[in-house]
Amino acid sequence: MTDKKKKFISPYEHTAPKGSEGWKELYPYFLVFQEQLKEQEEDKFFFCDSQHWPNVFKPFDAMTVEFAVKCLSQYNSRHYVIPPANGVDFKIHNGYCYMSPVAVSPELIEGRVPEFMERAGYYFQNWNELLENWHKKVKRVIDDMESIHFEPLPDRVDIQVIKDGVGLDPTFQMINDYNKLISLCYETWQYHFEFLNLGYAAYLDFFGFCKEVFPGIPDLSVAKMVQGIDVDLFRPDDELKKLAKLAISFGLEKCFEKKDVNEALHCIALEENGGQWLQAWEKAKHPWFNYTSGNGFYSSDKYWIEHLDIPYGYLKNYVEKLQRGEVIDRPTEALEAERDRITTEYAESLDDEARAIFEGKLGLARVVFPYVENHNFYIEHWAMGVFWRKTRELSRMLKEQGFWQQESDMYYFRREEILQVLFDYGNSWAVGVPAVGPAVLQEEISRRKKIVDALATAPPQPAFNNPPKVVTEPFTIMLWGITTEAVESWLGGDEKSSHMKGMAASPGLVEGYARIINDASELDQLKQGEILVTRVTAPSWAPVFNKIVATVTDIGGMMSHAAIVCREYGLPAVTGTGSASTQIKTGMKIRVDGGKGTVEILEELVEA
């Protein structure tokens, strides 16, 4: 065996795939590695965040990582002054997102503690009241986005504009609405992180205390103490289960034999109790079908509310399960019983003083934990769903004016470039001459499409530059599953093994056949009883967890979505394996031990 590599390639030495020349022009200058900064950038360790951004960015879509990571960072460094952590530096390289957490100098950490205690303490002490206000703010942002509409410019300004002395034309409103939509998206991400980092901080505080007073306690046991808490992120899936049960009680099973959602809904409408069921369907849609099969970060994500075939497919599966007499509910009672058993067992081993501290920290973790998952529904799913819907409305309008040929073409431009397009449209309307865009933009769109497609042909490098000798940063371990062992696995990436190690994310031992899923669009390929193996899951994949028997991911820590969802559904999970989705092939028989964090290939046979 050859010696393992000691460092990752530099991004300055990592070449782009053939056909993607000029890719840096697609993104803002501050998001790409610049030659003038080579020395200082090579001094940082960057890892690929394929947990949140697994795909190559179209230029417009890169806005999500800009807004998200900037807002994450400000709450760490400027709002709550988290003692050991500042922000996260981030770059786009060959179309993918890379992160580099910025630590606080050790000698400054102690001095930040009083500020953090005052600022974070206020939120912890007033959590429910502040969270109620948060819901109002987010709903207001959603309503504001819903109120924006993009329509073609009229042949003439309405006469009432003249009589009222308005003094403004519709292009002013159109450009203002676009800027407002972008601003509302940015505001959405401000609220996304208002509570999130505090939620993680409270959990880490509890986690650290447990590690101190219970030497050798497994990470999984700590996580189990906060499981079994009802969260809104599971509500869309729960609504489908309620609809499935209602369909059975009304005798509507035959309608769910239809493959097409519209045919099924028409069939239901003709049934005796069909009207009542359809009322329940409509009620569930708002807001719970504002839910994406992706993660909300890409313009290509499909939302249930616009693609009813997606929730219908899950609903149809639930009806079929109920007909077979199977249980479709999450094992909530069992999870709560296990949670209480473990909590009691550990608490009883402490003296009165330590137990009081333990109960206080656990109580806070349980109060704040629901937000860690709930925010995903309100931000990534609902708010971002409205945002992407409004941008498509704008793109359709500009498509009708001849600026491009497909609705998706707008996303090959950066957000600031769209302002130029809007002014071009408004200028041609005002002057009375053809716009320039329809004559020149399609060639540029074609060029950029080829670049993005070429970038997507090469998987991202797991990391760049010198890794730390030991990964100790708790957020990096907890969220991304990036441990010292994971880094070593990446460095030895050419080595193939039938045994893989990752995070023991959810307990249980199963054997079964693997199904490799590389994208949400492939989820319909999953068969009953298979093991889901993927780079990373999205929160919205919850409905497929009634089909599978275990989950294995390349990326993700103890508090990743895959880990949390699997614990709530009572399924074994191993996360953060690094390379399971490339080492394992669909059809291989594998063994997953979620308690030990191990995955073993039992049979090399690959089924078609």
Side-chain angles (χ1 to χ4, degrees), residues 231-243 284 287-291 304 311 318 377 381 543:
V231 294
D232 289 345
L233 188 63
F234 298 134
R235 183 71 179 272
D237 187 34
D238 290 341
E239 290 294 320
L240 294 183
K241 292 172 181 175
K242 286 165 56 179
L243 288 167
W288 305 112
F289 282 19
N290 289 286
Y291 201 59
W304 289 11
Y318 285 147
F377 175 75
H381 293 271

PDB file of all heavy atoms in Angstrom, residues 231-243 284 287-291 304 311 318 377 381 543:
ATOM      1  N   VAL A 231     -42.186  18.050  15.244  1.00  0.00           N
ATOM      2  CA  VAL A 231     -41.690  19.215  14.514  1.00  0.00           C
ATOM      3  C   VAL A 231     -42.516  19.411  13.245  1.00  0.00           C
ATOM      4  O   VAL A 231     -43.006  18.461  12.645  1.00  0.00           O
ATOM      5  CB  VAL A 231     -40.195  19.078  14.152  1.00  0.00           C
ATOM      6  CG1 VAL A 231     -39.328  19.082  15.390  1.00  0.00           C
ATOM      7  CG2 VAL A 231     -39.933  17.823  13.330  1.00  0.00           C
ATOM      8  N   ASP A 232     -42.633  20.671  12.816  1.00  0.00           N
ATOM      9  CA  ASP A 232     -43.445  21.010  11.654  1.00  0.00           C
ATOM     10  C   ASP A 232     -42.877  20.465  10.360  1.00  0.00           C
ATOM     11  O   ASP A 232     -43.610  20.307   9.377  1.00  0.00           O
ATOM     12  CB  ASP A 232     -43.591  22.533  11.536  1.00  0.00           C
ATOM     13  CG  ASP A 232     -44.491  23.112  12.622  1.00  0.00           C
ATOM     14  OD1 ASP A 232     -45.217  22.337  13.268  1.00  0.00           O
ATOM     15  OD2 ASP A 232     -44.465  24.345  12.816  1.00  0.00           O
ATOM     16  N   LEU A 233     -41.591  20.196  10.308  1.00  0.00           N
ATOM     17  CA  LEU A 233     -40.989  19.713   9.075  1.00  0.00           C
ATOM     18  C   LEU A 233     -41.594  18.377   8.643  1.00  0.00           C
ATOM     19  O   LEU A 233     -41.617  18.059   7.458  1.00  0.00           O
ATOM     20  CB  LEU A 233     -39.475  19.571   9.229  1.00  0.00           C
ATOM     21  CG  LEU A 233     -38.723  19.243   7.933  1.00  0.00           C
ATOM     22  CD1 LEU A 233     -38.879  20.369   6.911  1.00  0.00           C
ATOM     23  CD2 LEU A 233     -37.268  18.986   8.201  1.00  0.00           C
ATOM     24  N   PHE A 234     -42.097  17.588   9.608  1.00  0.00           N
ATOM     25  CA  PHE A 234     -42.717  16.312   9.273  1.00  0.00           C
ATOM     26  C   PHE A 234     -44.201  16.457   8.943  1.00  0.00           C
ATOM     27  O   PHE A 234     -44.856  15.492   8.561  1.00  0.00           O
ATOM     28  CB  PHE A 234     -42.557  15.320  10.434  1.00  0.00           C
ATOM     29  CG  PHE A 234     -41.124  14.999  10.760  1.00  0.00           C
ATOM     30  CD1 PHE A 234     -40.678  15.004  12.064  1.00  0.00           C
ATOM     31  CD2 PHE A 234     -40.214  14.690   9.762  1.00  0.00           C
ATOM     32  CE1 PHE A 234     -39.357  14.716  12.375  1.00  0.00           C
ATOM     33  CE2 PHE A 234     -38.896  14.400  10.051  1.00  0.00           C
ATOM     34  CZ  PHE A 234     -38.457  14.410  11.368  1.00  0.00           C
ATOM     35  N   ARG A 235     -44.726  17.676   9.097  1.00  0.00           N
ATOM     36  CA  ARG A 235     -46.162  17.875   8.914  1.00  0.00           C
ATOM     37  C   ARG A 235     -46.643  17.551   7.494  1.00  0.00           C
ATOM     38  O   ARG A 235     -47.709  16.930   7.345  1.00  0.00           O
ATOM     39  CB  ARG A 235     -46.516  19.316   9.294  1.00  0.00           C
ATOM     40  CG  ARG A 235     -47.988  19.645   9.232  1.00  0.00           C
ATOM     41  CD  ARG A 235     -48.797  18.987  10.335  1.00  0.00           C
ATOM     42  NE  ARG A 235     -50.193  19.375  10.211  1.00  0.00           N
ATOM     43  CZ  ARG A 235     -50.732  20.459  10.761  1.00  0.00           C
ATOM     44  NH1 ARG A 235     -49.969  21.259  11.511  1.00  0.00           N
ATOM     45  NH2 ARG A 235     -52.010  20.742  10.588  1.00  0.00           N
ATOM     46  N   PRO A 236     -45.919  17.947   6.419  1.00  0.00           N
ATOM     47  CA  PRO A 236     -46.400  17.566   5.083  1.00  0.00           C
ATOM     48  C   PRO A 236     -46.579  16.063   4.931  1.00  0.00           C
ATOM     49  O   PRO A 236     -47.586  15.602   4.375  1.00  0.00           O
ATOM     50  CB  PRO A 236     -45.297  18.102   4.158  1.00  0.00           C
ATOM     51  CG  PRO A 236     -44.735  19.271   4.904  1.00  0.00           C
ATOM     52  CD  PRO A 236     -44.733  18.829   6.345  1.00  0.00           C
ATOM     53  N   ASP A 237     -45.607  15.299   5.421  1.00  0.00           N
ATOM     54  CA  ASP A 237     -45.718  13.844   5.356  1.00  0.00           C
ATOM     55  C   ASP A 237     -46.872  13.347   6.218  1.00  0.00           C
ATOM     56  O   ASP A 237     -47.631  12.456   5.814  1.00  0.00           O
ATOM     57  CB  ASP A 237     -44.398  13.211   5.808  1.00  0.00           C
ATOM     58  CG  ASP A 237     -44.366  11.707   5.605  1.00  0.00           C
ATOM     59  OD1 ASP A 237     -44.960  11.232   4.622  1.00  0.00           O
ATOM     60  OD2 ASP A 237     -43.755  11.002   6.428  1.00  0.00           O
ATOM     61  N   ASP A 238     -47.036  13.924   7.401  1.00  0.00           N
ATOM     62  CA  ASP A 238     -48.150  13.534   8.282  1.00  0.00           C
ATOM     63  C   ASP A 238     -49.500  13.839   7.639  1.00  0.00           C
ATOM     64  O   ASP A 238     -50.470  13.086   7.813  1.00  0.00           O
ATOM     65  CB  ASP A 238     -48.037  14.256   9.628  1.00  0.00           C
ATOM     66  CG  ASP A 238     -46.860  13.760  10.470  1.00  0.00           C
ATOM     67  OD1 ASP A 238     -46.365  12.645  10.183  1.00  0.00           O
ATOM     68  OD2 ASP A 238     -46.432  14.489  11.382  1.00  0.00           O
ATOM     69  N   GLU A 239     -49.579  14.961   6.896  1.00  0.00           N
ATOM     70  CA  GLU A 239     -50.830  15.305   6.217  1.00  0.00           C
ATOM     71  C   GLU A 239     -51.181  14.258   5.163  1.00  0.00           C
ATOM     72  O   GLU A 239     -52.351  13.905   4.983  1.00  0.00           O
ATOM     73  CB  GLU A 239     -50.722  16.687   5.573  1.00  0.00           C
ATOM     74  CG  GLU A 239     -50.686  17.839   6.558  1.00  0.00           C
ATOM     75  CD  GLU A 239     -51.987  17.988   7.335  1.00  0.00           C
ATOM     76  OE1 GLU A 239     -53.068  17.816   6.729  1.00  0.00           O
ATOM     77  OE2 GLU A 239     -51.924  18.269   8.550  1.00  0.00           O
ATOM     78  N   LEU A 240     -50.176  13.759   4.453  1.00  0.00           N
ATOM     79  CA  LEU A 240     -50.419  12.713   3.462  1.00  0.00           C
ATOM     80  C   LEU A 240     -50.927  11.435   4.128  1.00  0.00           C
ATOM     81  O   LEU A 240     -51.822  10.759   3.600  1.00  0.00           O
ATOM     82  CB  LEU A 240     -49.141  12.418   2.677  1.00  0.00           C
ATOM     83  CG  LEU A 240     -48.603  13.534   1.782  1.00  0.00           C
ATOM     84  CD1 LEU A 240     -47.366  13.045   1.029  1.00  0.00           C
ATOM     85  CD2 LEU A 240     -49.651  14.012   0.793  1.00  0.00           C
ATOM     86  N   LYS A 241     -50.379  11.120   5.265  1.00  0.00           N
ATOM     87  CA  LYS A 241     -50.826   9.921   5.993  1.00  0.00           C
ATOM     88  C   LYS A 241     -52.266  10.074   6.461  1.00  0.00           C
ATOM     89  O   LYS A 241     -53.068   9.126   6.392  1.00  0.00           O
ATOM     90  CB  LYS A 241     -49.893   9.665   7.180  1.00  0.00           C
ATOM     91  CG  LYS A 241     -48.489   9.251   6.769  1.00  0.00           C
ATOM     92  CD  LYS A 241     -47.541   9.189   7.946  1.00  0.00           C
ATOM     93  CE  LYS A 241     -46.150   8.794   7.502  1.00  0.00           C
ATOM     94  NZ  LYS A 241     -45.165   8.844   8.592  1.00  0.00           N
ATOM     95  N   LYS A 242     -52.636  11.271   6.913  1.00  0.00           N
ATOM     96  CA  LYS A 242     -54.020  11.534   7.316  1.00  0.00           C
ATOM     97  C   LYS A 242     -54.959  11.396   6.123  1.00  0.00           C
ATOM     98  O   LYS A 242     -56.058  10.829   6.235  1.00  0.00           O
ATOM     99  CB  LYS A 242     -54.139  12.936   7.922  1.00  0.00           C
ATOM    100  CG  LYS A 242     -53.564  13.056   9.318  1.00  0.00           C
ATOM    101  CD  LYS A 242     -53.364  14.504   9.729  1.00  0.00           C
ATOM    102  CE  LYS A 242     -54.617  15.334   9.646  1.00  0.00           C
ATOM    103  NZ  LYS A 242     -54.373  16.737  10.094  1.00  0.00           N
ATOM    104  N   LEU A 243     -54.541  11.917   4.974  1.00  0.00           N
ATOM    105  CA  LEU A 243     -55.360  11.809   3.765  1.00  0.00           C
ATOM    106  C   LEU A 243     -55.504  10.353   3.330  1.00  0.00           C
ATOM    107  O   LEU A 243     -56.579   9.950   2.851  1.00  0.00           O
ATOM    108  CB  LEU A 243     -54.736  12.633   2.646  1.00  0.00           C
ATOM    109  CG  LEU A 243     -54.851  14.157   2.786  1.00  0.00           C
ATOM    110  CD1 LEU A 243     -53.931  14.855   1.782  1.00  0.00           C
ATOM    111  CD2 LEU A 243     -56.295  14.610   2.590  1.00  0.00           C
ATOM    112  N   ALA A 284     -54.999  20.634   3.254  1.00  0.00           N
ATOM    113  CA  ALA A 284     -53.619  20.189   3.486  1.00  0.00           C
ATOM    114  C   ALA A 284     -52.636  20.931   2.579  1.00  0.00           C
ATOM    115  O   ALA A 284     -51.490  21.184   2.953  1.00  0.00           O
ATOM    116  CB  ALA A 284     -53.506  18.685   3.259  1.00  0.00           C
ATOM    117  N   PRO A 287     -50.716  25.423   4.234  1.00  0.00           N
ATOM    118  CA  PRO A 287     -49.453  25.664   3.518  1.00  0.00           C
ATOM    119  C   PRO A 287     -48.601  24.438   3.252  1.00  0.00           C
ATOM    120  O   PRO A 287     -47.514  24.548   2.695  1.00  0.00           O
ATOM    121  CB  PRO A 287     -48.716  26.564   4.503  1.00  0.00           C
ATOM    122  CG  PRO A 287     -49.073  25.986   5.831  1.00  0.00           C
ATOM    123  CD  PRO A 287     -50.513  25.545   5.695  1.00  0.00           C
ATOM    124  N   TRP A 288     -49.043  23.224   3.637  1.00  0.00           N
ATOM    125  CA  TRP A 288     -48.123  22.101   3.769  1.00  0.00           C
ATOM    126  C   TRP A 288     -47.607  21.550   2.456  1.00  0.00           C
ATOM    127  O   TRP A 288     -46.624  20.791   2.444  1.00  0.00           O
ATOM    128  CB  TRP A 288     -48.760  21.006   4.623  1.00  0.00           C
ATOM    129  CG  TRP A 288     -49.202  21.542   5.942  1.00  0.00           C
ATOM    130  CD1 TRP A 288     -50.474  21.689   6.398  1.00  0.00           C
ATOM    131  CD2 TRP A 288     -48.356  22.076   6.968  1.00  0.00           C
ATOM    132  NE1 TRP A 288     -50.487  22.278   7.639  1.00  0.00           N
ATOM    133  CE2 TRP A 288     -49.209  22.520   8.016  1.00  0.00           C
ATOM    134  CE3 TRP A 288     -46.979  22.230   7.113  1.00  0.00           C
ATOM    135  CZ2 TRP A 288     -48.699  23.102   9.183  1.00  0.00           C
ATOM    136  CZ3 TRP A 288     -46.485  22.808   8.269  1.00  0.00           C
ATOM    137  CH2 TRP A 288     -47.340  23.230   9.293  1.00  0.00           C
ATOM    138  N   PHE A 289     -48.233  21.915   1.331  1.00  0.00           N
ATOM    139  CA  PHE A 289     -47.698  21.456   0.053  1.00  0.00           C
ATOM    140  C   PHE A 289     -46.696  22.455  -0.524  1.00  0.00           C
ATOM    141  O   PHE A 289     -46.199  22.268  -1.634  1.00  0.00           O
ATOM    142  CB  PHE A 289     -48.823  21.208  -0.954  1.00  0.00           C
ATOM    143  CG  PHE A 289     -49.558  19.899  -0.746  1.00  0.00           C
ATOM    144  CD1 PHE A 289     -49.483  19.226   0.466  1.00  0.00           C
ATOM    145  CD2 PHE A 289     -50.329  19.346  -1.754  1.00  0.00           C
ATOM    146  CE1 PHE A 289     -50.150  18.033   0.679  1.00  0.00           C
ATOM    147  CE2 PHE A 289     -51.007  18.152  -1.558  1.00  0.00           C
ATOM    148  CZ  PHE A 289     -50.926  17.489  -0.349  1.00  0.00           C
ATOM    149  N   ASN A 290     -46.397  23.513   0.220  1.00  0.00           N
ATOM    150  CA  ASN A 290     -45.279  24.397  -0.149  1.00  0.00           C
ATOM    151  C   ASN A 290     -43.992  23.700   0.293  1.00  0.00           C
ATOM    152  O   ASN A 290     -43.282  24.143   1.192  1.00  0.00           O
ATOM    153  CB  ASN A 290     -45.427  25.754   0.537  1.00  0.00           C
ATOM    154  CG  ASN A 290     -46.547  26.569  -0.046  1.00  0.00           C
ATOM    155  OD1 ASN A 290     -46.436  27.099  -1.147  1.00  0.00           O
ATOM    156  ND2 ASN A 290     -47.657  26.671   0.682  1.00  0.00           N
ATOM    157  N   TYR A 291     -43.714  22.616  -0.358  1.00  0.00           N
ATOM    158  CA  TYR A 291     -42.692  21.671   0.088  1.00  0.00           C
ATOM    159  C   TYR A 291     -41.970  21.158  -1.151  1.00  0.00           C
ATOM    160  O   TYR A 291     -42.604  20.787  -2.133  1.00  0.00           O
ATOM    161  CB  TYR A 291     -43.403  20.532   0.810  1.00  0.00           C
ATOM    162  CG  TYR A 291     -42.581  19.704   1.759  1.00  0.00           C
ATOM    163  CD1 TYR A 291     -41.939  20.287   2.848  1.00  0.00           C
ATOM    164  CD2 TYR A 291     -42.496  18.325   1.616  1.00  0.00           C
ATOM    165  CE1 TYR A 291     -41.216  19.516   3.744  1.00  0.00           C
ATOM    166  CE2 TYR A 291     -41.776  17.549   2.510  1.00  0.00           C
ATOM    167  CZ  TYR A 291     -41.141  18.153   3.574  1.00  0.00           C
ATOM    168  OH  TYR A 291     -40.420  17.394   4.467  1.00  0.00           O
ATOM    169  N   TRP A 304     -44.240  20.676  -4.295  1.00  0.00           N
ATOM    170  CA  TRP A 304     -45.468  19.897  -4.344  1.00  0.00           C
ATOM    171  C   TRP A 304     -46.649  20.703  -4.882  1.00  0.00           C
ATOM    172  O   TRP A 304     -47.433  20.203  -5.663  1.00  0.00           O
ATOM    173  CB  TRP A 304     -45.821  19.396  -2.942  1.00  0.00           C
ATOM    174  CG  TRP A 304     -44.948  18.328  -2.402  1.00  0.00           C
ATOM    175  CD1 TRP A 304     -43.754  17.879  -2.903  1.00  0.00           C
ATOM    176  CD2 TRP A 304     -45.202  17.548  -1.232  1.00  0.00           C
ATOM    177  NE1 TRP A 304     -43.246  16.883  -2.103  1.00  0.00           N
ATOM    178  CE2 TRP A 304     -44.106  16.658  -1.061  1.00  0.00           C
ATOM    179  CE3 TRP A 304     -46.222  17.513  -0.290  1.00  0.00           C
ATOM    180  CZ2 TRP A 304     -44.040  15.751  -0.016  1.00  0.00           C
ATOM    181  CZ3 TRP A 304     -46.161  16.618   0.767  1.00  0.00           C
ATOM    182  CH2 TRP A 304     -45.075  15.739   0.897  1.00  0.00           C
ATOM    183  N   PRO A 311     -46.635  14.647  -4.369  1.00  0.00           N
ATOM    184  CA  PRO A 311     -47.313  14.171  -3.156  1.00  0.00           C
ATOM    185  C   PRO A 311     -48.303  13.051  -3.448  1.00  0.00           C
ATOM    186  O   PRO A 311     -48.505  12.174  -2.604  1.00  0.00           O
ATOM    187  CB  PRO A 311     -48.026  15.424  -2.634  1.00  0.00           C
ATOM    188  CG  PRO A 311     -48.160  16.323  -3.808  1.00  0.00           C
ATOM    189  CD  PRO A 311     -46.923  16.068  -4.626  1.00  0.00           C
ATOM    190  N   TYR A 318     -48.989   5.216   0.440  1.00  0.00           N
ATOM    191  CA  TYR A 318     -49.556   5.047   1.778  1.00  0.00           C
ATOM    192  C   TYR A 318     -50.896   4.306   1.737  1.00  0.00           C
ATOM    193  O   TYR A 318     -51.183   3.458   2.600  1.00  0.00           O
ATOM    194  CB  TYR A 318     -49.743   6.412   2.447  1.00  0.00           C
ATOM    195  CG  TYR A 318     -48.446   7.034   2.936  1.00  0.00           C
ATOM    196  CD1 TYR A 318     -48.275   8.420   2.916  1.00  0.00           C
ATOM    197  CD2 TYR A 318     -47.409   6.257   3.425  1.00  0.00           C
ATOM    198  CE1 TYR A 318     -47.097   9.002   3.366  1.00  0.00           C
ATOM    199  CE2 TYR A 318     -46.230   6.829   3.869  1.00  0.00           C
ATOM    200  CZ  TYR A 318     -46.077   8.204   3.841  1.00  0.00           C
ATOM    201  OH  TYR A 318     -44.917   8.777   4.282  1.00  0.00           O
ATOM    202  N   PHE A 377     -38.940  24.152   6.930  1.00  0.00           N
ATOM    203  CA  PHE A 377     -40.228  24.248   6.238  1.00  0.00           C
ATOM    204  C   PHE A 377     -40.566  25.692   5.918  1.00  0.00           C
ATOM    205  O   PHE A 377     -40.961  26.017   4.792  1.00  0.00           O
ATOM    206  CB  PHE A 377     -41.363  23.628   7.061  1.00  0.00           C
ATOM    207  CG  PHE A 377     -42.707  23.847   6.405  1.00  0.00           C
ATOM    208  CD1 PHE A 377     -43.069  23.104   5.295  1.00  0.00           C
ATOM    209  CD2 PHE A 377     -43.570  24.835   6.853  1.00  0.00           C
ATOM    210  CE1 PHE A 377     -44.272  23.347   4.640  1.00  0.00           C
ATOM    211  CE2 PHE A 377     -44.775  25.080   6.216  1.00  0.00           C
ATOM    212  CZ  PHE A 377     -45.129  24.327   5.100  1.00  0.00           C
ATOM    213  N   HIS A 381     -38.526  25.739   2.270  1.00  0.00           N
ATOM    214  CA  HIS A 381     -39.666  25.189   1.539  1.00  0.00           C
ATOM    215  C   HIS A 381     -40.711  26.255   1.196  1.00  0.00           C
ATOM    216  O   HIS A 381     -40.932  26.551   0.015  1.00  0.00           O
ATOM    217  CB  HIS A 381     -40.290  24.042   2.342  1.00  0.00           C
ATOM    218  CG  HIS A 381     -39.389  22.861   2.455  1.00  0.00           C
ATOM    219  ND1 HIS A 381     -39.369  21.835   1.545  1.00  0.00           N
ATOM    220  CD2 HIS A 381     -38.429  22.553   3.362  1.00  0.00           C
ATOM    221  CE1 HIS A 381     -38.457  20.942   1.874  1.00  0.00           C
ATOM    222  NE2 HIS A 381     -37.865  21.356   2.988  1.00  0.00           N
ATOM    223  N   PRO A 543     -41.108  11.207   3.133  1.00  0.00           N
ATOM    224  CA  PRO A 543     -42.085  10.190   2.723  1.00  0.00           C
ATOM    225  C   PRO A 543     -41.490   8.888   2.204  1.00  0.00           C
ATOM    226  O   PRO A 543     -42.147   7.854   2.260  1.00  0.00           O
ATOM    227  CB  PRO A 543     -42.891  10.918   1.627  1.00  0.00           C
ATOM    228  CG  PRO A 543     -42.782  12.359   1.966  1.00  0.00           C
ATOM    229  CD  PRO A 543     -41.380  12.502   2.500  1.00  0.00           C
TER     230      PRO A 543
END
